[in-house]
Amino acid sequence: MNALEKVILDILDTKQPNNVRELVELVQKQVDATPKTIEQEIKSLHKKGLVQLDEPVSHKNFISFMSPKISRWFWIVLGLSALSFLSIVLLPETGTPLSYIRYIFAFILVAFLPGYCLTETMFPKQQTMDVIERTTFSIGLSFAITVLSGLILSFTPFGLTLATTLPTLGSIVIALATVALIRKYKIQ
């Protein structure tokens, strides 16, 4: 492996450029080489299977960006929110095996979805954090959001009940997911 290959691979690992042009500019800052030479080296790394080149994806409008194929995470979040809401409202609290389904979906709604949506809002690029960091961040933020919304609800005239907590958390999840989707659309 020559020095230029090492520099290209190092920049791809550390700086994660968005496109080939940005990669070429970053390599030129470190190595005295022409853009043509750098592009040829990138193509040879691609042929060797060390670099993956993807076609840029741009969507004509926000509606096409919302398709389930592209924004699958958004539809999964909305589906889990709806299932959580329905299971909490319709399934019995205790005494039946179905109550465990209610507990699972309630746990997902309280301990994961609000933080996941906030994480997606704050870090819309997937390269920013890996899966473990994103999951850990999501769980921690979920508990913080749930506690803060419970605290705020306890000071309202409605009080802290299931009838107030469920729509509040559902609204927070849907609002944050929508904001995250918009941010992801703007950076693509």
Side-chain angles (χ1 to χ4, degrees), residues 121-185:
T121 301
M122 293 188 314
F123 306 105
K125 287 186 179 182
Q126 285 301 111
Q127 302 96 335
T128 310
M129 302 170 83
D130 66 4
V131 175
I132 294 173
E133 290 172 329
R134 220 170 254 281
T135 304
T136 307
F137 211 61
S138 298
I139 292 169
L141 283 174
S142 287
F143 284 123
I145 291 169
T146 304
V147 168
L148 285 173
S149 63
L151 181 66
I152 291 168
L153 281 173
S154 68
F155 289 116
T156 65
F158 309 111
L160 182 61
T161 64
L162 181 62
T164 58
T165 306
L166 192 57
T168 301
L169 281 178
S171 300
I172 290 170
V173 167
I174 291 169
L176 288 173
T178 304
V179 171
L181 185 68
I182 292 168
R183 289 204 61 208
K184 285 178 179 285
Y185 173 71

Side-chain angles (χ1 to χ4, degrees), residues 46-105:
H46 176 67
K47 287 178 185 174
K48 292 178 185 176
L50 297 172
V51 172
Q52 182 178 353
L53 300 175
D54 295 330
E55 289 294 322
V57 179
S58 67
H59 302 282
K60 295 177 185 173
N61 56 29
F62 185 67
I63 301 299
S64 70
F65 184 74
M66 286 181 58
S67 73
K69 184 178 179 183
I70 298 161
S71 300
R72 183 176 298 129
W73 69 271
F74 178 74
W75 297 106
I76 290 171
V77 165
L78 290 184
L80 282 172
S81 296
L83 284 173
S84 298
F85 187 82
L86 290 173
S87 68
I88 292 169
V89 170
L90 300 177
L91 296 178
E93 278 187 49
T94 57
T96 66
L98 289 177
S99 62
Y100 293 110
I101 294 172
R102 177 188 170 141
Y103 298 150
I104 290 169
F105 280 113

